[in-house]
Amino acid sequence: MSIATRLHEVLNSLPQGVRLVAISKFHPNEAIEEAYREGQRIFGESRAQELKAKHETLPDDIEWHFIGTLQTNKIKYIIPYVAMIHGIDSYKLLVEVNKHAQKAGRVVDCLLQMHIAQEDTKFGFSFDECRNILKDENWQALENVRIRGLMGMASNTDNEEQIKKEFCSLYEFFVELKNTHFASQPTFNELSMGMSDDYPLAIATGSTLIRVGSRIFGQRAGSEVLHPGLA
Ligand SMILES: *Cc1c(COP(=O)(O)O)cnc(C)c1O
């Protein structure tokens, strides 16, 4: 099956209000171009230098999202154009992104990554850590980042009940923050959850952004560890 066919299969299954971030990491420009010709405009990458190279060689109207772990020394490669950073997993990183965004004269959309999986290999804040940061830290003074919502990855398991439970807990936490710290910010409205194997469950539990890679583009090249959180 072609990329185009698989892309449309995913797109046709999306209810209104849910957008697809096509995760193109480790796939060549040709694969992205095939999806682009079908109208897909939002793509996600997990390495700053790979994103930079693709941004420089692919059409300007692509909306690039950064997923995964962002090292502070790599922020500069992506800050001039990145549309959304999904993996903010420490207050320090948020401060660093703000600093670079200020230099670039931009306001950058960010999602706070929450730890919802059972495995401790996955990154992110616990709910309490996140509550404390929003309560204590002076995040509202960071004028060049805009917290648009939350992101999370469910456990890598066949147990659908477990996955559903994790997505539901993230949705409930999202609603809690929406009604408290972000009550006056209608732009806190994105919930990034759902990947190739679990995106239907994520949609059923309130996702607004699904991050789907291999279901569209096929297996990623090589046998390297693609993302420490997915190892
Ligand atoms: C790689 C990756 C995805 C896409 O995974 P697939 O299983 O290929 O759909 C989604 N989110 C994150 C954070 C990733 O690193």
Side-chain angles (χ1 to χ4, degrees), residues 86-105:
H86 288 232
I88 301 291
D89 61 358
S90 71
Y91 186 68
K92 184 170 157 276
L93 181 58
L94 190 66
V95 170
E96 285 297 314
V97 169
N98 183 69
K99 196 173 83 188
H100 286 273
Q102 189 169 27
K103 265 192 239 164

Side-chain angles (χ1 to χ4, degrees), residues 66 70 78-79 82-88 97 108-112:
F66 190 87
L70 181 57
I78 66 168
I79 216 71
V82 70
M84 188 177 281
I85 298 175
H86 288 232
I88 301 291
V97 169
V108 174
D109 283 349
C110 293
L111 302 177
L112 303 178

Side-chain angles (χ1 to χ4, degrees), residues 23 25 46 67-68 151 153 195-196 211-215 220 227 230:
I23 304 300
K25 63 187 183 193
S46 63
I67 58 163
M151 180 271 214
M153 290 162 87
M195 304 173 25
S196 286
R211 308 179 310 272
V212 176
S214 46
R215 184 169 294 262
R220 289 177 280 269
H227 175 267
L230 288 177

